[in-house]
Amino acid sequence: MRLVFAGTPEPAVPSLRALIESERHEVVAVVTRPDAQAGRGRKVLRSPVGALADEHGIEVLTPARAGDPAFLARLRELAPDVCPVVAYGALLPQSALDIPAHGWVNLHFSLLPAWRGAAPVQAAIRAGDEMTGASTFRIVKELDAGPVFGVVTETIGPDDTSGALLGRLAESGAHLLVSTVDGIEDGTLRAVEQPGEGMSYAPKVTVEDARVSFADPASAVDRHIRSVTPDPGAWAEFRGERFKLGPVTVLDEPGPRPGELVVERKRVLVGTATKPVRLGEVQAAGKKRMAATDWARGTRIDEGERLQ
């Protein structure tokens, strides 16, 4: 089938690569978000999906809005049979949804209807879910509400960060997406409407959302930090400045008051509402990321000082 693939960030790359390598389908174009400035030098960079398309000589479309008349006209000219979507990052109007013969098929990183929205992996970790997965579904106007073609499941490990979990789902989800497109072409796959119950929502995670509260129980602190690692990155305040935090270890022992730091020779502890946690890597303002013990060695921490 003729495919126009829509996606933007790194987790969409395995799916595009798998579709390019498929002998049954032709990726005739890629739709991705416009080139954007990134890094300290603020260089204008192609999205990871756009860069892969460039490598394979595939046409790249970067509309400011998916409803732009010029984009819709080009999409009609391309005459796709189906448009696979992975983390494109923009709303698709009905005028775009109506163009491909078999619609737009989205790969979403949750077991729908759980965790509809922009940040399903982060939400699943923070909520303490033991299982998640990926779903392929036909896009409709309502957010992530279309009928589901297929799913794969993935266990959430006790040390999983959102980055690690998303990396695994991106790979297994790529295989699911290819098999879904295969099934649509064969006419052997039927999309099933989502249940009317069990819905949950996962809005985009902001930098402010990544701020850690040590007034929470240790297990919640642990899940919160892992859910925003590496992006946007967990943080608290130390001496009035932002203090970045990597994953922590929950300890089964008495600890100090919530947020209070205790520096020992081989570990740095922080109190929570329940048990203490041992800090892993940290990054103080103006410093490089380092082990918490190395940071503490170079910082004179007074008794009773806290991460706010």
Side-chain angles (χ1 to χ4, degrees), residues 83-243:
C83 293
V85 185
V86 185
Y88 171 46
L91 294 175
L92 297 166
Q94 193 64 46
S95 55
L97 296 179
D98 291 339
I99 292 175
H102 296 282
W104 296 66
V105 176
N106 191 40
L107 172 65
H108 183 74
F109 298 116
S110 81
L111 298 175
L112 291 170
W115 303 127
R116 296 175 178 178
V121 174
Q122 293 93 328
I125 292 176
R126 188 165 183 175
D129 293 354
E130 295 181 354
M131 182 72 68
T132 188
S135 308
T136 49
F137 69 96
R138 182 180 292 115
I139 294 179
V140 297
K141 189 173 182 180
E142 185 182 351
L143 178 67
D144 297 338
V148 173
F149 288 103
V151 300
V152 291
T153 59
E154 183 73 36
T155 300
I156 301 177
D159 299 321
D160 265 336
T161 63
S162 60
L165 181 56
L166 185 55
R168 298 202 303 274
L169 288 172
E171 295 294 339
S172 60
H175 296 294
L176 172 64
L177 184 59
V178 172
S179 65
T180 297
V181 175
D182 289 348
I184 291 172
E185 182 182 42
D186 294 339
T188 58
L189 196 59
R190 182 176 65 90
V192 178
E193 295 294 333
Q194 295 184 34
E197 56 186 25
M199 291 177 289
S200 51
Y201 291 90
K204 181 179 179 179
V205 177
T206 67
V207 172
E208 188 58 36
D209 293 331
R211 183 171 187 163
V212 178
S213 170
F214 290 97
D216 292 338
S219 58
V221 170
D222 167 47
R223 294 196 306 267
H224 184 181
I225 292 174
R226 289 189 290 110
S227 76
V228 293
T229 300
D231 184 49
W235 63 280
E237 282 191 359
F238 179 68
R239 296 176 180 172
E241 296 186 302
R242 187 168 295 183
F243 186 81

Side-chain angles (χ1 to χ4, degrees), residues 66-90:
D68 288 348
F71 166 68
L72 295 176
R74 180 57 184 148
L75 192 60
R76 292 188 189 97
E77 291 173 353
L78 290 166
D81 296 302
V82 66
C83 293
V85 185
V86 185
Y88 171 46

